Amino acid sequence: MRGEARSYAAARKERAADIDRWLKDLFRTASDGDHVSLVAVGSLGRGELAPGSDLDLVLLHNGRADVARVADRIWYPVWDSAVNLDHSVRTVEEAVSVARQDLKAVLGLIQARHVAGDPELTKKAREAVLAEWRADSRRRLGELREATDKRAQASGELAFLLEPDLKDGRGGLRDVQAMQAVAAAWVASAPGPRAREAYELILDVRHALHIVTARGTDRLVLQEQDAVAGLLGLLDAEALMRRLAEAGRTISHAIDGTWRTVDRLLSGPAPRGRRPLADGVVEHGGEVVLARGVDPRKDPVLVLRAAAAAADSGLPLAPATVSVLAAQSPPMPVPWPEEARDCLVSILGAGRAAVPVWEELDQAGILVKLLPDWERVRHRPQRNPIHRFTVDRHLIEAAANAASHTRDVSRPDLLLIGALLHDVGKGWPGDHSATGEVVVRDIATRIGLPPQDVETLATVVRHHLLLPETATRRDLDDPVTIEKVAATVGSREVLDLLAALAVADGHATGPAAWNGWKAGLVADLVRRVRSVLAGAPPPKPPTLSAEQAALARHGGGAVRVNGGAVTVVAPDRVGLLWSAAGVLSAHRLIVRSASSASAGSTAVIEFSVIPEYGSPPDPATLESDLRLVLAGRLDIEQRLARRTRSMRPPRVPVAPPRVTLVDDASATATVVEVRAHDRPGLLWRIGRAFGECGLDVRAARVETLGAEAVDVFYVVDRAGRPLSDAAQRAQVRDQVLAALR
């Protein structure tokens, strides 16, 4: 890629040079150059002109009377060439005045480049702007920081976004330009070589993106990523996004260091003296540094001891200290000494304070020396809308979250290490839970855990998805569900570790992966499994509540809406559940789960729903439409078809649907798992396919992960029995697949 990248860098410089020559020719025909100069700012001023970049130009003059005529002779040919132009005409005094008030203007002018005309005029304006920028640095840098933070909040982090903004995202191009502005104020150093290399990579990606799209866009959307990767000589979009993640995190780390320097220098001298934090580690000037006389070459645990001290105290590791530790620390003995393992647990147990410390160790290359397997997940993108972070960042976020649950388990150390390593298998092909079990055995042995703890940790990693997947995809009232989970976890200790990890993992993944509904289901599952592990029999299926029984006596048909719970009561009939689901979908309600019970000839169906947006619909309208559907007087299929037509189709190709009949998941029904791209009325279409096969849906668990639906149905035949005939099972699979196409 670097050969290709070098050609892009050369292309940017060549294009800037061509534009310069063109502008010089325009300037010569427009002016004699007396008391006027043409200045390039922005990407042209920096010599970084990508194919779709705008031209940012300032025409400086010294009170020249015909400056408007000069400007028109330059601007009009540029406009006629269809190049986007951002332009202004200023005297030197006006330029300085505008820069004094306008952050964008001052950032452009402190990096302004002379193109044509009077060079002294350009020099005078640039030096005046720089002098004021430096003199007023305390106020202006505060303004710059506020703008940088707002931009990052609006655009998100380049390293972790599915479709990042290369310019405005945190860790993007503008952050390096902000660091250059801080350096111009003589407050902090200019971006170092690693940040500059990361910047050049992002420029190359942006350059390729402009070629692919034939326009000046800064957002790298999904459908362009493979093409951009190809232009840059990379294997595929995943390789591209991994390189981008590394570049974005390098720049984010660099700008964080820049702002710490700004804070330290502008807030006045730090208190003198050194406060001991740990053996060989002290606090000095608000940072964690090595004590005087300490030789890192003689103490392999010192690097983790310093990191633990930083996390425990909430202080940053001094950059110079990190550099010394990275360069001089000897290899950690294998297996690790007990002190090293204790330090690792201390870092993770610090919670949120562990994240920046871990990032510091990662940026310095220390983590992969301590844990070589970390390299396989480092900067690895997840390319899934439900995930907020790369794999490695997700792991440290999960560990930080797990620190809040250490009081809930008997082995807090295994919870923290398990959270850190639960997705380590994503660095290898295959099911990440299965490969993770293999990898974590090696890592756990490497860090010196005893064999019994290695086995516990391996079990936790292998089954870290057991509780959330079971809770959302199986009927918790079915005794087989609870018995299988209890047999898998085997002990209260493992169950508690998995329960705490499920919460930590869910929160680290994102709001689409964890919410109150899922948390309640997982807690209910844990309660039931805990009871079985204690020797109690599996709980019996619940009977109707008093309110449900009262509704059942109503008999004819009723709907009750209580927050996210919708109760539907109607005469029992095949297809009632999916007919009701169609009504809910038509009213823009997303079904999360559904279960049914009978009271004589009346069925009571409980739905858990959330509105797609806004407030829930009026219960009376729901009830009216339900009655119409049951009476055959409302064409719900037509209404859902209209909704589907009004929605935008997916922007990228989606995987084909998959239908699986899960064996041994229930003794009283056949469990059918459906995975498909989500769309309005999906549950209704699947249920109708079951009805065409002569089946009834006893219960359903519905989960939407980003744009993907994972729906599980407990179905029985007309006699109320699970499916045993192979031909009938194949027919069900084919019929449901046909309904999804």
Side-chain angles (χ1 to χ4, degrees):
M1 174 181 171
R2 295 321 301 164
E4 186 80 21
R6 277 194 292 273
S7 69
Y8 278 158
R12 289 191 291 273
K13 288 183 171 56
E14 183 177 346
R15 181 163 186 254
D18 289 343
I19 295 290
D20 275 8
R21 285 190 288 271
W22 177 45
L23 292 173
K24 287 178 188 292
D25 289 342
L26 291 177
F27 187 87
R28 276 194 293 270
T29 63
S31 169
D32 54 11
D34 190 25
H35 302 302
V36 65
S37 70
L38 187 62
V39 179
V41 296
S43 57
L44 179 60
R46 294 186 298 271
E48 300 166 352
L49 209 61
S53 295
D54 298 344
L55 299 187
D56 295 318
L57 299 171
V58 180
L59 189 65
L60 289 173
H61 67 101
N62 199 6
R64 182 163 168 164
D66 64 342
V67 69
R69 178 186 60 81
V70 173
D72 287 346
R73 290 188 173 185
I74 299 171
W75 305 154
Y76 276 99
V78 175
W79 287 325
D80 290 343
S81 72
V83 175
N84 289 331
L85 174 65
D86 188 357
H87 61 90
S88 60
V89 179
R90 314 254 189 237
T91 65
V92 171
E93 293 75 17
E94 287 170 343
V96 173
S97 177
V98 169
R100 196 177 295 135
Q101 305 300 325
D102 188 323
L103 186 64
K104 181 182 177 182
V106 71
L107 294 178
L109 287 169
I110 60 178
Q111 293 186 317
R113 184 173 57 80
H114 181 75
V115 175
D118 185 352
E120 288 301 315
L121 204 59
T122 302
K123 180 181 178 183
K124 181 180 178 183
R126 189 169 184 274
E127 288 181 348
V129 169
L130 271 170
E132 288 212 2
W133 177 250
R134 290 163 183 159
D136 198 18
S137 60
R138 184 179 296 274
R139 179 181 69 87
R140 299 314 299 272
L141 291 182
E143 182 184 356
L144 175 61
R145 183 170 192 172
E146 182 180 357
T148 301
D149 290 345
K150 284 183 178 178
R151 173 171 44 76
Q153 186 175 12
S155 300
E157 295 204 46
L158 183 149
F160 306 131
L161 289 169
L162 200 62
E163 297 183 327
D165 188 315
L166 302 173
K167 182 184 284 187
D168 287 338
R170 175 169 165 77
L173 299 175
R174 289 204 190 279
D175 277 353
V176 173
Q177 293 155 16
M179 287 189 278
Q180 292 167 337
V182 174
W186 294 341
V187 173
S189 301
R194 289 187 67 242
R196 185 69 205 183
E197 182 180 358
Y199 182 71
E200 290 293 336
L201 172 75
I202 299 173
L203 283 175
D204 293 338
V205 174
R206 183 170 177 257
H207 192 120
L209 179 61
H210 286 192
I211 294 174
V212 167
T213 60
R215 57 193 177 90
T217 181
D218 297 315
R219 185 170 293 281
L220 181 59
V221 298
L222 281 167
Q223 62 263 38
E224 314 294 0
Q225 290 173 9
D226 278 313
V228 169
L231 280 182
L232 294 172
L234 293 170
L235 180 64
D236 54 21
E238 180 160 337
L240 168 66
M241 299 310 289
R242 190 169 189 177
R243 295 289 301 274
L244 262 183
E246 182 174 10
R249 288 170 75 173
T250 296
I251 291 172
S252 292
H253 176 260
I255 198 168
D256 284 344
T258 294
W259 291 129
R260 283 201 301 271
T261 301
V262 170
D263 290 342
R264 189 165 57 250
L265 293 179
L266 296 185
S267 62
R272 304 176 68 88
R274 292 172 171 247
R275 179 170 65 93
L277 296 175
D279 184 19
V281 182
V282 299
E283 174 193 352
H284 177 66
E287 295 179 322
V288 175
V289 302
L290 300 182
R292 292 189 180 96
V294 170
D295 187 352
R297 293 167 295 189
K298 298 179 180 179
D299 186 355
V301 183
L302 180 60
V303 60
L304 286 176
R305 198 158 58 245
D312 287 342
S313 62
L315 296 171
L317 283 162
T321 297
V322 176
S323 298
V324 168
L325 290 169
Q328 299 184 16
S329 293
M332 187 72 72
V334 178
W336 285 13
E338 184 177 357
E339 183 194 1
R341 192 168 60 255
D342 288 345
C343 287
L344 173 63
V345 172
S346 292
I347 295 169
L348 304 178
R352 301 305 311 164
V355 177
V357 173
W358 196 261
E359 191 77 8
E360 199 75 49
L361 298 181
D362 179 72
Q363 289 291 325
I366 293 172
L367 287 183
V368 294
K369 293 179 181 177
L370 293 169
L371 301 169
D373 289 314
W374 193 257
E375 181 63 40
R376 298 294 293 266
V377 296
R378 189 169 183 256
H379 306 307
R380 182 173 290 276
Q382 309 239 38
R383 295 181 59 73
N384 185 314
I386 71 168
H387 279 279
R388 291 185 295 176
F389 300 113
T390 53
V391 176
D392 58 335
R393 180 59 178 267
H394 168 75
L395 290 175
I396 185 59
E397 290 281 339
N401 293 340
S404 301
H405 299 276
T406 53
R407 301 289 189 274
D408 303 331
V409 297
S410 61
R411 289 297 302 274
D413 55 335
L414 295 186
L415 171 62
L416 294 169
I417 297 172
L420 179 70
L421 301 176
H422 73 277
D423 276 349
V424 73
K426 288 184 175 178
W428 281 258
D431 178 358
H432 78 279
S433 296
T435 55
E437 178 185 6
V438 176
V439 176
V440 85
R441 288 182 191 277
D442 292 339
I443 296 177
T445 302
R446 179 185 188 88
I447 65 176
L449 286 173
Q452 184 175 348
D453 289 351
V454 172
E455 289 303 313
T456 299
L457 201 59
T459 300
V460 167
V461 171
R462 178 68 180 88
H463 298 294
H464 71 273
L465 295 175
L466 175 67
L467 298 183
E469 287 191 348
T470 301
T472 56
R473 301 176 192 177
R474 295 293 180 267
D475 183 2
L476 301 190
D477 293 330
D478 191 321
V480 173
T481 299
I482 308 306
E483 289 169 351
K484 290 190 70 172
V485 173
T488 300
V489 301
S491 70
R492 170 73 179 269
E493 178 182 83
V494 171
L495 176 65
D496 289 346
L497 287 171
L498 289 174
L501 178 54
V503 179
D505 183 19
H507 282 298
T509 301
W514 194 257
N515 47 50
W517 168 73
K518 182 179 284 189
L521 290 177
V522 170
D524 186 22
L525 173 61
V526 170
R527 178 183 59 80
R528 295 172 186 239
V529 174
R530 193 174 285 153
S531 176
V532 170
L533 290 173
K540 295 180 180 180
T543 57
L544 295 181
S545 68
E547 182 180 3
Q548 290 172 332
L551 285 172
R553 287 192 292 272
H554 185 279
V559 176
R560 292 291 183 271
V561 179
N562 183 14
V566 176
T567 303
V568 176
V569 176
D572 201 0
R573 52 175 278 189
V574 173
L576 176 61
L577 186 145
W578 54 264
S579 295
V583 175
L584 297 175
S585 181
H587 285 270
R588 292 184 170 81
L589 287 170
I590 299 172
V591 178
R592 282 175 161 172
S593 67
S595 60
S596 62
S598 296
S601 61
T602 301
V604 179
I605 305 175
E606 287 287 346
F607 291 98
S608 173
V609 301
I610 56 170
E612 287 184 16
Y613 52 83
S615 302
D618 176 37
T621 306
L622 273 179
E623 182 173 351
S624 173
D625 280 356
L626 177 64
R627 288 177 179 275
L628 291 174
V629 165
L630 294 177
R633 294 164 52 201
L634 175 63
D635 190 343
I636 197 67
E637 182 174 6
Q638 186 180 57
R639 186 180 293 188
L640 290 171
R642 283 201 305 269
R643 283 207 59 204
T644 301
R645 287 194 298 269
S646 69
M647 295 185 66
R648 292 174 56 188
R651 291 188 294 174
V652 294
V654 297
R658 189 174 71 196
V659 178
T660 306
L661 275 66
V662 184
D663 294 320
D664 303 324
S666 174
T668 58
T670 296
V671 176
V672 182
E673 183 176 283
V674 180
R675 293 172 177 252
H677 190 77
D678 194 29
R679 55 177 172 159
L682 182 68
L683 179 58
W684 177 80
R685 287 179 176 85
I686 296 170
R688 187 180 62 172
F690 288 140
E692 291 169 352
C693 293
L695 304 179
D696 197 16
V697 178
R698 195 190 73 190
R701 290 289 190 187
V702 180
E703 184 178 21
T704 303
L705 302 173
E708 293 301 303
V710 182
D711 298 348
V712 176
F713 304 88
Y714 284 66
V715 300
V716 294
D717 63 16
R718 292 288 167 82
R721 298 172 303 198
L723 311 182
S724 56
D725 181 70
Q728 187 182 24
R729 289 164 64 93
Q731 179 199 9
V732 169
R733 185 183 296 108
D734 294 342
Q735 197 84 7
V736 173
L737 281 172
L740 297 173
R741 294 193 177 102

